[in-house]
């Protein structure tokens, strides 16, 4: 398998549920990202991990909790979400510190909160 | 306040003609610009990029133009093909490092047969 893979592709959860999104990158990159895409909005950067250390939080609500156990894996733990959190959640990776850095995205998890 | 703006939510172009997608930015610290293409139910894929030291970059049917004084860039696709129908996102970054990219809202390009 190559690139950036995300699971699950689709997730429906109630507001009291706890679930986790998983991301794995096979590109040997040293930085990983969570982005949120809501309808008719730009992609919003949620979290950045560089060398497994979180470097940016962007004022994301605490009901979203990221975890990066190593440079290849990234999780987004979800609990007590709201219906307005329904969106496409995209994981990306890059080789930070290189000139003209590009992000490589996974296919995303389409999340619906009921 | 949006730092990267794509003011056209959608654009319809006839097959074989030129597609021109526009993007404006406000942050003068941006020094690297990218275009991503996104199909439904898939993540964005990198298409083409340009550094602020250049004003043009070409890759096959795709050309990106950068006008730094106007803080404007555009993506030209010629000739347009049905497979080009997708949402195109403009993105920008500054300074390198793991800062992520700042994206526009996207333009939905529809290629008419």
């Amino acid at each position: 398998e190559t690139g950036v893979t995300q699971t699950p592709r689709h997730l429906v959860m109630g507001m009291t549920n706890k679930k986790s999104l998983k991301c794995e990158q096979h590109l040997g990159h040293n930085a990983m990202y969570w982005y949120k895409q809501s309808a008719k909005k730009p992609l919003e950067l949620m979290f950045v991990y560089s060398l497994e250390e979180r470097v940016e939080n962007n004022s994301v609500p605490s009901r979203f909790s990221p975890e990066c156990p190593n440079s290849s894996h990234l999780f987004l733990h979800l609990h007590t979400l709201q219906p307005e959190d329904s969106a496409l959640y995209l994981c990306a990776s890059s080789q930070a510190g290189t000139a003209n850095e590009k992000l490589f995205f996974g296919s995303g998890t389409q999340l619906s909160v009921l | 306040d949006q730092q990267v703006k794509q003011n056209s939510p959608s654009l319809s172009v006839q097959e074989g003609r030129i597609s021109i997608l526009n993007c404006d930015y406000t942050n003068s610290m941006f020094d690297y610009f990218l275009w991503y293409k996104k199909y439904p139910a898939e993540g964005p894929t990198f298409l083409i990029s340009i550094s602020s030291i250049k004003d043009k970059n070409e890759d096959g049917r795709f050309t990106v133009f950068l006008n730094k004084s106007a803080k404007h860039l555009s993506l030209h696709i010629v000739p347009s093909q049905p497979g080009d129908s997708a949402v195109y996102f403009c993105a920008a970054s500054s300074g390198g490092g793991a800062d992520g990219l700042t994206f526009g809202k996207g333009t939905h390009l529809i290629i008419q047969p």
Side-chain angles (χ1 to χ4, degrees):
Chain A
E1 225 178 323
T2 59
V4 181
T5 56
Q6 289 186 244
T7 55
R9 291 294 305 272
H10 302 274
L11 179 62
V12 179
M13 58 188 289
M15 289 190 283
T16 58
N17 292 158
K18 288 185 182 181
K19 297 285 185 184
S20 296
L21 310 184
K22 179 183 175 183
C23 176
E24 184 173 359
Q25 60 100 356
H26 310 271
L27 299 169
H29 288 159
N30 60 9
M32 297 187 77
Y33 310 77
W34 281 115
Y35 277 85
K36 175 183 177 183
Q37 186 188 11
S38 303
K40 298 183 180 177
K41 284 189 174 182
L43 276 72
E44 301 170 59
L45 179 61
M46 299 175 73
F47 300 104
V48 181
Y49 277 84
S50 180
L51 299 173
E52 299 157 42
E53 295 289 326
R54 190 160 78 187
V55 297
E56 188 162 351
N57 185 346
N58 273 352
S59 303
V60 178
S62 59
R63 56 185 184 269
F64 295 92
S65 174
E67 179 189 0
C68 187
N70 55 60
S71 61
S72 299
H73 294 86
L74 185 66
F75 296 90
L76 187 63
H77 304 297
L78 317 171
H79 62 97
T80 60
L81 294 192
Q82 305 298 311
E84 60 264 29
D85 296 322
S86 298
L88 180 67
Y89 289 84
L90 290 159
C91 173
S93 71
S94 72
Q95 188 59 26
T98 56
N100 302 336
E101 180 183 339
K102 299 176 184 59
L103 267 62
F104 293 80
F105 285 87
S107 297
T109 295
Q110 186 65 54
L111 174 67
S112 297
V113 181
L114 305 178
Chain B
D1 182 38
Q2 266 191 275
Q3 297 187 66
V4 177
K5 299 177 185 178
Q6 293 177 257
N7 292 319
S8 298
S10 66
L11 175 67
S12 184
V13 174
Q14 201 164 16
E15 183 179 356
R17 299 287 184 104
I18 183 171
S19 296
I20 301 176
L21 294 94
N22 293 302
C23 177
D24 298 291
Y25 62 96
T26 57
N27 187 342
S28 57
M29 299 300 292
F30 287 145
D31 58 6
Y32 184 54
F33 304 89
L34 308 90
W35 285 94
Y36 280 80
K37 177 179 180 180
K38 185 180 183 302
Y39 292 118
E42 294 183 15
T45 55
F46 170 76
L47 188 59
I48 192 170
S49 63
I50 188 166
S51 166
S52 61
I53 61 173
K54 294 186 174 182
D55 54 17
K56 177 183 175 182
N57 187 26
E58 190 172 352
D59 183 2
R61 296 186 298 113
F62 303 92
T63 303
V64 56
F65 295 91
L66 176 62
N67 182 334
K68 286 188 293 292
S69 61
K71 294 191 175 69
H72 177 83
L73 63 154
S74 60
L75 173 69
H76 292 212
I77 306 173
V78 56
S80 300
Q81 299 175 354
D84 297 329
S85 295
V87 177
Y88 289 79
F89 290 98
C90 173
S93 70
S94 60
D99 296 327
L101 299 175
T102 302
F103 284 85
K105 289 186 180 181
T107 296
H108 185 193
L109 177 64
I110 302 162
I111 305 302
Q112 306 273 8

